Amino acid sequence: MDSILQAPFKPIEFLSRDVKVERRDDGTIVLQSNHRLKPYEKHVPAFLARWAKEAPDRVWLAQRRGPDREWLKLTYAEAKRQVDAVTQALLDRGFGPDRPVMILSSNSIEFALLSMAAMQARAPLAPVSPAYSVMSQDHAKLRYVFDLIKPGLVFVQNGEIYAKALAALDLEGVLLVHVDKPPPRMQSLPWSELVAVKTTDAVAQSIALIEPGTVGKFLFTSGSTGMPKAVINTQEMMCANLAMSQMARTRKPEDPPGIMLDWLPWNHTMGGNATFQGNLADGGTTYIDDGKPLPGLFEETLRNLREISPTTFANVPAGYAMLATALEKDEALARSFFKNLNSLAYGGATLPDDLYTRMETLAVKHTGHRLPFVTGWGSTETAPTATTVHWASERVGLIGLPFPGVQLKMVPTGEEGRYELRLKSVIVTPGYYKQPDLTAQMFDEEGFYKIGDAGRFVDPNDPSWGLIFDGRVVEDFKLMSGTFVLVGTLRIAAIAAASPVLQDAVVCGEGRDQVGLLGFPNVAACRQLAGDTEADLTTAELLAHPAVIGALKNGLARMNAEAKGSSMQVRRVLLMAEPPSIDGHEMTDKGYINQRATLERRKVLVEKLYNGGEGVIEIA
């Protein structure tokens, strides 16, 4: 590692770390950038219009299609023509601010085109997690958001795949649109008819009526009840956040256009707003990756990376674990991956130190430089990113500093150096659609959004080194001893320490004498540990395998030995064969574990965890 640290970072011109710190008598701190937020676009479709004019022949979107899975490519000019045609089709059918457009499917070229068309028609876009349709058995969440939004159009890529979900909805008076196959026994309009509509002046007139406060999207986020809330995303929120992101790293006119291979779901704020719209704002090319960081699906990502050399790459830690292993084994793949790469990004959880080291070792080998790992912090309610690491850092786990135009209020929690974080900015949502009671609870007396997260300074004496995420304030609890357990902090540390055994975990122990975990295993990684390459073992046999148990116990024991106090020590674990349930509200629409819902649904397992017995793993 010492030799890796001696290699220089790839030279990138980041925004300087220049922050203003206001310290109040009650211990509250307000942190903000001294850089002024630059002017931003009026609406997201303006970026498409710009690049269709300035770089008409540049590829905007590409996706594998057909039996041979060849790349279907769409230029900016072609995309603008099709978006305008679909906009006209929507306007002809009376779409506007009171008739939202709902998308049920995964990322696709048509998803992107309909998104821009809906915005141009000023019809709020409502992209819904495909899991509500294809993984759910009762479709309760899908019906809930459908009834809340009351869309005028529902879009599916493949009507046969979404047939059961569509049958659960009352589609009377709703326009149903499909691309590949119509849903059986339902009247549905082919996508081809929308893109064939002749454009009139009505399209330009509609675009001219888009205001900063025009609703661009409803993005859904789950609370502790498990039922989704519709977060209003205005055009100004999204465009201001794109400008903030552009300021964080200087892009020079001579820089080549960005190339991105993207799998992050566009129904989620990070994938839809930051990644997809971010690359559009920069005039880049997005290759839609139908692979995912899951066993059996990541091979598609690797196939794509053998053909596409991205300029930036984003993934979750589990994805980087799979990628690092593949790059270490395949020289040609590694050369292709690092050929044009300038930076790496991660989110969803802290990147373990060993993964950081492995990726930087590969970067130095193939480029001679270390690559900056960047990340940020925010929520669906902040469009999404409020802070970012806009410098080359050797430390993972940071959430950085506030973007220009963001005020970060830090309220002492009572624990030394730990603060509850609150936000005020143009990027903060005006509220939740049709839920004024929940909207009123979002803000404090000064109008700061109470996001519910906690953080602390890397160096309290020098705030310019940024902040570390320190868990969710709303999830914390006390042990029997009265000691507070910082659930988010401990969960992240435990998953990293037990790598690669745990995919996720629920922290237990409220009112008890020890902290325990209900663990969701990374089954593919456990099979590798057990040498079960042919999947001969049942899941139960796999989770009881000595190699799996040993890796888990050794990793958590090391964490316990380094921990300061019982609140950061895990003393017992129960690995669960049943994955998190969407219908049971255990998994949010963003793919995160709902701690409260899981503890309630699995309270029998919590009792077993503390009573002991078969399957309970005790940690030194």
Side-chain angles (χ1 to χ4, degrees), residues 112-146:
L113 297 174
L114 182 56
S115 298
M116 293 298 112
M119 290 187 196
Q120 290 191 163
R122 293 167 291 119
L125 183 71
V128 178
S129 170
Y132 291 3
S133 297
V134 296
M135 293 178 65
S136 174
Q137 297 302 310
D138 60 16
H139 299 110
K141 287 187 176 182
L142 177 62
R143 285 198 304 271
Y144 178 85
V145 299
F146 179 87

PDB file of all heavy atoms in Angstrom, residues 112-146:
ATOM      1  N   ALA A 112     -36.039   7.236 -21.353  1.00  0.00           N
ATOM      2  CA  ALA A 112     -35.375   8.540 -21.403  1.00  0.00           C
ATOM      3  C   ALA A 112     -36.142   9.527 -22.274  1.00  0.00           C
ATOM      4  O   ALA A 112     -36.340  10.698 -21.903  1.00  0.00           O
ATOM      5  CB  ALA A 112     -33.952   8.378 -21.928  1.00  0.00           C
ATOM      6  N   LEU A 113     -36.579   9.071 -23.445  1.00  0.00           N
ATOM      7  CA  LEU A 113     -37.297   9.954 -24.365  1.00  0.00           C
ATOM      8  C   LEU A 113     -38.627  10.413 -23.766  1.00  0.00           C
ATOM      9  O   LEU A 113     -38.992  11.593 -23.862  1.00  0.00           O
ATOM     10  CB  LEU A 113     -37.530   9.237 -25.696  1.00  0.00           C
ATOM     11  CG  LEU A 113     -36.275   8.845 -26.489  1.00  0.00           C
ATOM     12  CD1 LEU A 113     -36.653   8.025 -27.709  1.00  0.00           C
ATOM     13  CD2 LEU A 113     -35.480  10.071 -26.906  1.00  0.00           C
ATOM     14  N   LEU A 114     -39.357   9.491 -23.146  1.00  0.00           N
ATOM     15  CA  LEU A 114     -40.639   9.852 -22.531  1.00  0.00           C
ATOM     16  C   LEU A 114     -40.431  10.811 -21.359  1.00  0.00           C
ATOM     17  O   LEU A 114     -41.250  11.704 -21.128  1.00  0.00           O
ATOM     18  CB  LEU A 114     -41.376   8.591 -22.073  1.00  0.00           C
ATOM     19  CG  LEU A 114     -42.762   8.801 -21.442  1.00  0.00           C
ATOM     20  CD1 LEU A 114     -43.688   9.574 -22.376  1.00  0.00           C
ATOM     21  CD2 LEU A 114     -43.387   7.465 -21.050  1.00  0.00           C
ATOM     22  N   SER A 115     -39.322  10.638 -20.633  1.00  0.00           N
ATOM     23  CA  SER A 115     -39.017  11.544 -19.519  1.00  0.00           C
ATOM     24  C   SER A 115     -38.887  12.989 -20.009  1.00  0.00           C
ATOM     25  O   SER A 115     -39.473  13.916 -19.433  1.00  0.00           O
ATOM     26  CB  SER A 115     -37.718  11.122 -18.833  1.00  0.00           C
ATOM     27  OG  SER A 115     -37.819   9.834 -18.279  1.00  0.00           O
ATOM     28  N   MET A 116     -38.115  13.178 -21.073  1.00  0.00           N
ATOM     29  CA  MET A 116     -37.928  14.526 -21.617  1.00  0.00           C
ATOM     30  C   MET A 116     -39.232  15.066 -22.207  1.00  0.00           C
ATOM     31  O   MET A 116     -39.558  16.247 -22.052  1.00  0.00           O
ATOM     32  CB  MET A 116     -36.840  14.517 -22.683  1.00  0.00           C
ATOM     33  CG  MET A 116     -35.438  14.220 -22.181  1.00  0.00           C
ATOM     34  SD  MET A 116     -34.831  15.441 -20.997  1.00  0.00           S
ATOM     35  CE  MET A 116     -34.786  14.392 -19.506  1.00  0.00           C
ATOM     36  N   ALA A 117     -40.004  14.199 -22.868  1.00  0.00           N
ATOM     37  CA  ALA A 117     -41.259  14.637 -23.479  1.00  0.00           C
ATOM     38  C   ALA A 117     -42.266  15.066 -22.413  1.00  0.00           C
ATOM     39  O   ALA A 117     -42.964  16.078 -22.573  1.00  0.00           O
ATOM     40  CB  ALA A 117     -41.838  13.522 -24.344  1.00  0.00           C
ATOM     41  N   ALA A 118     -42.363  14.291 -21.332  1.00  0.00           N
ATOM     42  CA  ALA A 118     -43.282  14.654 -20.257  1.00  0.00           C
ATOM     43  C   ALA A 118     -42.915  16.017 -19.675  1.00  0.00           C
ATOM     44  O   ALA A 118     -43.796  16.859 -19.428  1.00  0.00           O
ATOM     45  CB  ALA A 118     -43.256  13.583 -19.169  1.00  0.00           C
ATOM     46  N   MET A 119     -41.622  16.251 -19.479  1.00  0.00           N
ATOM     47  CA  MET A 119     -41.194  17.545 -18.948  1.00  0.00           C
ATOM     48  C   MET A 119     -41.522  18.683 -19.914  1.00  0.00           C
ATOM     49  O   MET A 119     -41.938  19.764 -19.508  1.00  0.00           O
ATOM     50  CB  MET A 119     -39.697  17.518 -18.644  1.00  0.00           C
ATOM     51  CG  MET A 119     -39.310  16.641 -17.465  1.00  0.00           C
ATOM     52  SD  MET A 119     -37.557  16.833 -17.056  1.00  0.00           S
ATOM     53  CE  MET A 119     -37.292  15.408 -16.028  1.00  0.00           C
ATOM     54  N   GLN A 120     -41.321  18.434 -21.217  1.00  0.00           N
ATOM     55  CA  GLN A 120     -41.632  19.465 -22.204  1.00  0.00           C
ATOM     56  C   GLN A 120     -43.136  19.753 -22.242  1.00  0.00           C
ATOM     57  O   GLN A 120     -43.554  20.886 -22.507  1.00  0.00           O
ATOM     58  CB  GLN A 120     -41.146  19.053 -23.596  1.00  0.00           C
ATOM     59  CG  GLN A 120     -39.632  19.066 -23.731  1.00  0.00           C
ATOM     60  CD  GLN A 120     -39.141  18.925 -25.157  1.00  0.00           C
ATOM     61  OE1 GLN A 120     -37.999  19.215 -25.452  1.00  0.00           O
ATOM     62  NE2 GLN A 120     -39.995  18.488 -26.073  1.00  0.00           N
ATOM     63  N   ALA A 121     -43.961  18.750 -21.961  1.00  0.00           N
ATOM     64  CA  ALA A 121     -45.409  18.939 -21.921  1.00  0.00           C
ATOM     65  C   ALA A 121     -45.874  19.439 -20.560  1.00  0.00           C
ATOM     66  O   ALA A 121     -47.073  19.652 -20.361  1.00  0.00           O
ATOM     67  CB  ALA A 121     -46.118  17.630 -22.270  1.00  0.00           C
ATOM     68  N   ARG A 122     -44.910  19.600 -19.633  1.00  0.00           N
ATOM     69  CA  ARG A 122     -45.175  20.062 -18.266  1.00  0.00           C
ATOM     70  C   ARG A 122     -46.052  19.082 -17.489  1.00  0.00           C
ATOM     71  O   ARG A 122     -46.761  19.458 -16.558  1.00  0.00           O
ATOM     72  CB  ARG A 122     -45.804  21.462 -18.269  1.00  0.00           C
ATOM     73  CG  ARG A 122     -44.870  22.546 -18.763  1.00  0.00           C
ATOM     74  CD  ARG A 122     -45.585  23.855 -19.063  1.00  0.00           C
ATOM     75  NE  ARG A 122     -46.440  23.703 -20.250  1.00  0.00           N
ATOM     76  CZ  ARG A 122     -47.758  23.858 -20.239  1.00  0.00           C
ATOM     77  NH1 ARG A 122     -48.377  24.213 -19.109  1.00  0.00           N
ATOM     78  NH2 ARG A 122     -48.457  23.702 -21.343  1.00  0.00           N
ATOM     79  N   ALA A 123     -45.997  17.820 -17.882  1.00  0.00           N
ATOM     80  CA  ALA A 123     -46.700  16.751 -17.172  1.00  0.00           C
ATOM     81  C   ALA A 123     -45.717  16.101 -16.208  1.00  0.00           C
ATOM     82  O   ALA A 123     -44.686  15.575 -16.645  1.00  0.00           O
ATOM     83  CB  ALA A 123     -47.239  15.720 -18.163  1.00  0.00           C
ATOM     84  N   PRO A 124     -45.970  16.128 -14.907  1.00  0.00           N
ATOM     85  CA  PRO A 124     -45.017  15.551 -13.955  1.00  0.00           C
ATOM     86  C   PRO A 124     -44.697  14.089 -14.285  1.00  0.00           C
ATOM     87  O   PRO A 124     -45.602  13.296 -14.560  1.00  0.00           O
ATOM     88  CB  PRO A 124     -45.736  15.672 -12.615  1.00  0.00           C
ATOM     89  CG  PRO A 124     -46.705  16.795 -12.800  1.00  0.00           C
ATOM     90  CD  PRO A 124     -47.147  16.694 -14.232  1.00  0.00           C
ATOM     91  N   LEU A 125     -43.418  13.761 -14.252  1.00  0.00           N
ATOM     92  CA  LEU A 125     -42.964  12.398 -14.503  1.00  0.00           C
ATOM     93  C   LEU A 125     -42.969  11.628 -13.182  1.00  0.00           C
ATOM     94  O   LEU A 125     -42.478  12.129 -12.165  1.00  0.00           O
ATOM     95  CB  LEU A 125     -41.557  12.424 -15.094  1.00  0.00           C
ATOM     96  CG  LEU A 125     -40.947  11.078 -15.480  1.00  0.00           C
ATOM     97  CD1 LEU A 125     -41.638  10.528 -16.709  1.00  0.00           C
ATOM     98  CD2 LEU A 125     -39.455  11.226 -15.725  1.00  0.00           C
ATOM     99  N   ALA A 126     -43.493  10.416 -13.190  1.00  0.00           N
ATOM    100  CA  ALA A 126     -43.552   9.597 -11.982  1.00  0.00           C
ATOM    101  C   ALA A 126     -42.965   8.224 -12.267  1.00  0.00           C
ATOM    102  O   ALA A 126     -43.693   7.260 -12.529  1.00  0.00           O
ATOM    103  CB  ALA A 126     -44.991   9.472 -11.493  1.00  0.00           C
ATOM    104  N   PRO A 127     -41.632   8.097 -12.246  1.00  0.00           N
ATOM    105  CA  PRO A 127     -41.014   6.785 -12.461  1.00  0.00           C
ATOM    106  C   PRO A 127     -41.090   5.936 -11.187  1.00  0.00           C
ATOM    107  O   PRO A 127     -40.719   6.388 -10.108  1.00  0.00           O
ATOM    108  CB  PRO A 127     -39.565   7.142 -12.811  1.00  0.00           C
ATOM    109  CG  PRO A 127     -39.320   8.464 -12.149  1.00  0.00           C
ATOM    110  CD  PRO A 127     -40.635   9.168 -12.064  1.00  0.00           C
ATOM    111  N   VAL A 128     -41.573   4.729 -11.323  1.00  0.00           N
ATOM    112  CA  VAL A 128     -41.825   3.847 -10.180  1.00  0.00           C
ATOM    113  C   VAL A 128     -40.841   2.688 -10.201  1.00  0.00           C
ATOM    114  O   VAL A 128     -40.532   2.139 -11.260  1.00  0.00           O
ATOM    115  CB  VAL A 128     -43.270   3.320 -10.228  1.00  0.00           C
ATOM    116  CG1 VAL A 128     -43.547   2.368  -9.068  1.00  0.00           C
ATOM    117  CG2 VAL A 128     -44.265   4.480 -10.208  1.00  0.00           C
ATOM    118  N   SER A 129     -40.372   2.288  -9.042  1.00  0.00           N
ATOM    119  CA  SER A 129     -39.457   1.151  -8.951  1.00  0.00           C
ATOM    120  C   SER A 129     -40.079  -0.086  -9.590  1.00  0.00           C
ATOM    121  O   SER A 129     -41.204  -0.480  -9.245  1.00  0.00           O
ATOM    122  CB  SER A 129     -39.134   0.851  -7.488  1.00  0.00           C
ATOM    123  OG  SER A 129     -38.441  -0.369  -7.373  1.00  0.00           O
ATOM    124  N   PRO A 130     -39.370  -0.728 -10.541  1.00  0.00           N
ATOM    125  CA  PRO A 130     -39.903  -1.956 -11.145  1.00  0.00           C
ATOM    126  C   PRO A 130     -40.205  -3.044 -10.121  1.00  0.00           C
ATOM    127  O   PRO A 130     -41.042  -3.915 -10.363  1.00  0.00           O
ATOM    128  CB  PRO A 130     -38.781  -2.384 -12.098  1.00  0.00           C
ATOM    129  CG  PRO A 130     -38.055  -1.120 -12.420  1.00  0.00           C
ATOM    130  CD  PRO A 130     -38.096  -0.312 -11.149  1.00  0.00           C
ATOM    131  N   ALA A 131     -39.529  -2.974  -8.971  1.00  0.00           N
ATOM    132  CA  ALA A 131     -39.764  -3.982  -7.937  1.00  0.00           C
ATOM    133  C   ALA A 131     -41.210  -3.969  -7.457  1.00  0.00           C
ATOM    134  O   ALA A 131     -41.757  -5.011  -7.080  1.00  0.00           O
ATOM    135  CB  ALA A 131     -38.827  -3.743  -6.755  1.00  0.00           C
ATOM    136  N   TYR A 132     -41.856  -2.817  -7.475  1.00  0.00           N
ATOM    137  CA  TYR A 132     -43.267  -2.744  -7.077  1.00  0.00           C
ATOM    138  C   TYR A 132     -44.148  -3.569  -8.005  1.00  0.00           C
ATOM    139  O   TYR A 132     -45.235  -3.997  -7.617  1.00  0.00           O
ATOM    140  CB  TYR A 132     -43.754  -1.292  -7.124  1.00  0.00           C
ATOM    141  CG  TYR A 132     -43.181  -0.359  -6.080  1.00  0.00           C
ATOM    142  CD1 TYR A 132     -42.218  -0.774  -5.181  1.00  0.00           C
ATOM    143  CD2 TYR A 132     -43.621   0.965  -6.015  1.00  0.00           C
ATOM    144  CE1 TYR A 132     -41.695   0.100  -4.246  1.00  0.00           C
ATOM    145  CE2 TYR A 132     -43.115   1.847  -5.074  1.00  0.00           C
ATOM    146  CZ  TYR A 132     -42.144   1.413  -4.190  1.00  0.00           C
ATOM    147  OH  TYR A 132     -41.638   2.284  -3.262  1.00  0.00           O
ATOM    148  N   SER A 133     -43.684  -3.768  -9.234  1.00  0.00           N
ATOM    149  CA  SER A 133     -44.482  -4.477 -10.233  1.00  0.00           C
ATOM    150  C   SER A 133     -44.078  -5.929 -10.392  1.00  0.00           C
ATOM    151  O   SER A 133     -44.941  -6.820 -10.439  1.00  0.00           O
ATOM    152  CB  SER A 133     -44.356  -3.775 -11.596  1.00  0.00           C
ATOM    153  OG  SER A 133     -44.872  -2.470 -11.552  1.00  0.00           O
ATOM    154  N   VAL A 134     -42.760  -6.212 -10.483  1.00  0.00           N
ATOM    155  CA  VAL A 134     -42.322  -7.560 -10.875  1.00  0.00           C
ATOM    156  C   VAL A 134     -41.844  -8.410  -9.701  1.00  0.00           C
ATOM    157  O   VAL A 134     -41.766  -9.631  -9.825  1.00  0.00           O
ATOM    158  CB  VAL A 134     -41.214  -7.481 -11.951  1.00  0.00           C
ATOM    159  CG1 VAL A 134     -41.750  -6.853 -13.218  1.00  0.00           C
ATOM    160  CG2 VAL A 134     -39.991  -6.707 -11.448  1.00  0.00           C
ATOM    161  N   MET A 135     -41.533  -7.776  -8.562  1.00  0.00           N
ATOM    162  CA  MET A 135     -41.101  -8.550  -7.395  1.00  0.00           C
ATOM    163  C   MET A 135     -42.199  -8.679  -6.347  1.00  0.00           C
ATOM    164  O   MET A 135     -42.209  -9.615  -5.564  1.00  0.00           O
ATOM    165  CB  MET A 135     -39.850  -7.928  -6.774  1.00  0.00           C
ATOM    166  CG  MET A 135     -38.609  -8.012  -7.654  1.00  0.00           C
ATOM    167  SD  MET A 135     -37.163  -7.230  -6.913  1.00  0.00           S
ATOM    168  CE  MET A 135     -36.894  -8.268  -5.483  1.00  0.00           C
ATOM    169  N   SER A 136     -43.092  -7.726  -6.323  1.00  0.00           N
ATOM    170  CA  SER A 136     -44.184  -7.752  -5.352  1.00  0.00           C
ATOM    171  C   SER A 136     -45.212  -8.808  -5.728  1.00  0.00           C
ATOM    172  O   SER A 136     -45.474  -9.057  -6.908  1.00  0.00           O
ATOM    173  CB  SER A 136     -44.836  -6.374  -5.287  1.00  0.00           C
ATOM    174  OG  SER A 136     -45.985  -6.402  -4.463  1.00  0.00           O
ATOM    175  N   GLN A 137     -45.822  -9.384  -4.705  1.00  0.00           N
ATOM    176  CA  GLN A 137     -46.892 -10.359  -4.932  1.00  0.00           C
ATOM    177  C   GLN A 137     -48.268  -9.724  -4.787  1.00  0.00           C
ATOM    178  O   GLN A 137     -49.219 -10.120  -5.460  1.00  0.00           O
ATOM    179  CB  GLN A 137     -46.758 -11.523  -3.933  1.00  0.00           C
ATOM    180  CG  GLN A 137     -45.468 -12.312  -4.086  1.00  0.00           C
ATOM    181  CD  GLN A 137     -45.290 -12.896  -5.465  1.00  0.00           C
ATOM    182  OE1 GLN A 137     -46.200 -13.535  -5.992  1.00  0.00           O
ATOM    183  NE2 GLN A 137     -44.123 -12.696  -6.065  1.00  0.00           N
ATOM    184  N   ASP A 138     -48.384  -8.708  -3.917  1.00  0.00           N
ATOM    185  CA  ASP A 138     -49.705  -8.104  -3.699  1.00  0.00           C
ATOM    186  C   ASP A 138     -49.876  -6.749  -4.390  1.00  0.00           C
ATOM    187  O   ASP A 138     -50.984  -6.225  -4.461  1.00  0.00           O
ATOM    188  CB  ASP A 138     -49.986  -7.952  -2.200  1.00  0.00           C
ATOM    189  CG  ASP A 138     -48.976  -7.058  -1.475  1.00  0.00           C
ATOM    190  OD1 ASP A 138     -48.235  -6.305  -2.146  1.00  0.00           O
ATOM    191  OD2 ASP A 138     -48.930  -7.103  -0.236  1.00  0.00           O
ATOM    192  N   HIS A 139     -48.777  -6.174  -4.908  1.00  0.00           N
ATOM    193  CA  HIS A 139     -48.802  -4.898  -5.633  1.00  0.00           C
ATOM    194  C   HIS A 139     -49.410  -3.760  -4.808  1.00  0.00           C
ATOM    195  O   HIS A 139     -49.952  -2.797  -5.361  1.00  0.00           O
ATOM    196  CB  HIS A 139     -49.550  -5.037  -6.962  1.00  0.00           C
ATOM    197  CG  HIS A 139     -48.927  -6.034  -7.893  1.00  0.00           C
ATOM    198  ND1 HIS A 139     -49.523  -7.232  -8.195  1.00  0.00           N
ATOM    199  CD2 HIS A 139     -47.749  -6.016  -8.559  1.00  0.00           C
ATOM    200  CE1 HIS A 139     -48.750  -7.922  -9.015  1.00  0.00           C
ATOM    201  NE2 HIS A 139     -47.663  -7.205  -9.255  1.00  0.00           N
ATOM    202  N   ALA A 140     -49.304  -3.862  -3.478  1.00  0.00           N
ATOM    203  CA  ALA A 140     -49.916  -2.850  -2.609  1.00  0.00           C
ATOM    204  C   ALA A 140     -49.259  -1.481  -2.791  1.00  0.00           C
ATOM    205  O   ALA A 140     -49.943  -0.457  -2.856  1.00  0.00           O
ATOM    206  CB  ALA A 140     -49.829  -3.296  -1.152  1.00  0.00           C
ATOM    207  N   LYS A 141     -47.920  -1.470  -2.879  1.00  0.00           N
ATOM    208  CA  LYS A 141     -47.237  -0.189  -3.042  1.00  0.00           C
ATOM    209  C   LYS A 141     -47.533   0.420  -4.403  1.00  0.00           C
ATOM    210  O   LYS A 141     -47.700   1.646  -4.529  1.00  0.00           O
ATOM    211  CB  LYS A 141     -45.722  -0.369  -2.855  1.00  0.00           C
ATOM    212  CG  LYS A 141     -45.300  -0.596  -1.422  1.00  0.00           C
ATOM    213  CD  LYS A 141     -43.780  -0.583  -1.288  1.00  0.00           C
ATOM    214  CE  LYS A 141     -43.360  -0.720   0.158  1.00  0.00           C
ATOM    215  NZ  LYS A 141     -41.885  -0.669   0.319  1.00  0.00           N
ATOM    216  N   LEU A 142     -47.595  -0.414  -5.434  1.00  0.00           N
ATOM    217  CA  LEU A 142     -47.895   0.086  -6.768  1.00  0.00           C
ATOM    218  C   LEU A 142     -49.278   0.720  -6.795  1.00  0.00           C
ATOM    219  O   LEU A 142     -49.467   1.825  -7.332  1.00  0.00           O
ATOM    220  CB  LEU A 142     -47.808  -1.049  -7.785  1.00  0.00           C
ATOM    221  CG  LEU A 142     -48.175  -0.680  -9.223  1.00  0.00           C
ATOM    222  CD1 LEU A 142     -47.227   0.376  -9.774  1.00  0.00           C
ATOM    223  CD2 LEU A 142     -48.168  -1.924 -10.112  1.00  0.00           C
ATOM    224  N   ARG A 143     -50.269   0.046  -6.220  1.00  0.00           N
ATOM    225  CA  ARG A 143     -51.631   0.602  -6.184  1.00  0.00           C
ATOM    226  C   ARG A 143     -51.659   1.896  -5.379  1.00  0.00           C
ATOM    227  O   ARG A 143     -52.360   2.849  -5.743  1.00  0.00           O
ATOM    228  CB  ARG A 143     -52.605  -0.416  -5.589  1.00  0.00           C
ATOM    229  CG  ARG A 143     -52.952  -1.555  -6.529  1.00  0.00           C
ATOM    230  CD  ARG A 143     -54.226  -2.268  -6.060  1.00  0.00           C
ATOM    231  NE  ARG A 143     -54.107  -2.735  -4.678  1.00  0.00           N
ATOM    232  CZ  ARG A 143     -53.618  -3.922  -4.350  1.00  0.00           C
ATOM    233  NH1 ARG A 143     -53.199  -4.759  -5.291  1.00  0.00           N
ATOM    234  NH2 ARG A 143     -53.553  -4.279  -3.079  1.00  0.00           N
ATOM    235  N   TYR A 144     -50.874   1.933  -4.301  1.00  0.00           N
ATOM    236  CA  TYR A 144     -50.862   3.127  -3.448  1.00  0.00           C
ATOM    237  C   TYR A 144     -50.344   4.343  -4.220  1.00  0.00           C
ATOM    238  O   TYR A 144     -50.969   5.412  -4.213  1.00  0.00           O
ATOM    239  CB  TYR A 144     -49.995   2.879  -2.212  1.00  0.00           C
ATOM    240  CG  TYR A 144     -49.895   4.087  -1.304  1.00  0.00           C
ATOM    241  CD1 TYR A 144     -50.861   4.340  -0.335  1.00  0.00           C
ATOM    242  CD2 TYR A 144     -48.846   4.991  -1.431  1.00  0.00           C
ATOM    243  CE1 TYR A 144     -50.786   5.454   0.492  1.00  0.00           C
ATOM    244  CE2 TYR A 144     -48.755   6.110  -0.613  1.00  0.00           C
ATOM    245  CZ  TYR A 144     -49.723   6.333   0.336  1.00  0.00           C
ATOM    246  OH  TYR A 144     -49.648   7.446   1.143  1.00  0.00           O
ATOM    247  N   VAL A 145     -49.204   4.200  -4.907  1.00  0.00           N
ATOM    248  CA  VAL A 145     -48.642   5.348  -5.625  1.00  0.00           C
ATOM    249  C   VAL A 145     -49.504   5.709  -6.836  1.00  0.00           C
ATOM    250  O   VAL A 145     -49.630   6.887  -7.190  1.00  0.00           O
ATOM    251  CB  VAL A 145     -47.170   5.103  -6.039  1.00  0.00           C
ATOM    252  CG1 VAL A 145     -46.300   4.880  -4.814  1.00  0.00           C
ATOM    253  CG2 VAL A 145     -47.034   3.939  -7.001  1.00  0.00           C
ATOM    254  N   PHE A 146     -50.117   4.703  -7.454  1.00  0.00           N
ATOM    255  CA  PHE A 146     -51.016   4.954  -8.586  1.00  0.00           C
ATOM    256  C   PHE A 146     -52.215   5.788  -8.134  1.00  0.00           C
ATOM    257  O   PHE A 146     -52.593   6.774  -8.783  1.00  0.00           O
ATOM    258  CB  PHE A 146     -51.471   3.623  -9.186  1.00  0.00           C
ATOM    259  CG  PHE A 146     -52.420   3.753 -10.346  1.00  0.00           C
ATOM    260  CD1 PHE A 146     -51.934   3.903 -11.639  1.00  0.00           C
ATOM    261  CD2 PHE A 146     -53.799   3.721 -10.151  1.00  0.00           C
ATOM    262  CE1 PHE A 146     -52.807   4.035 -12.722  1.00  0.00           C
ATOM    263  CE2 PHE A 146     -54.670   3.849 -11.218  1.00  0.00           C
ATOM    264  CZ  PHE A 146     -54.171   4.002 -12.504  1.00  0.00           C
TER     265      PHE A 146
END
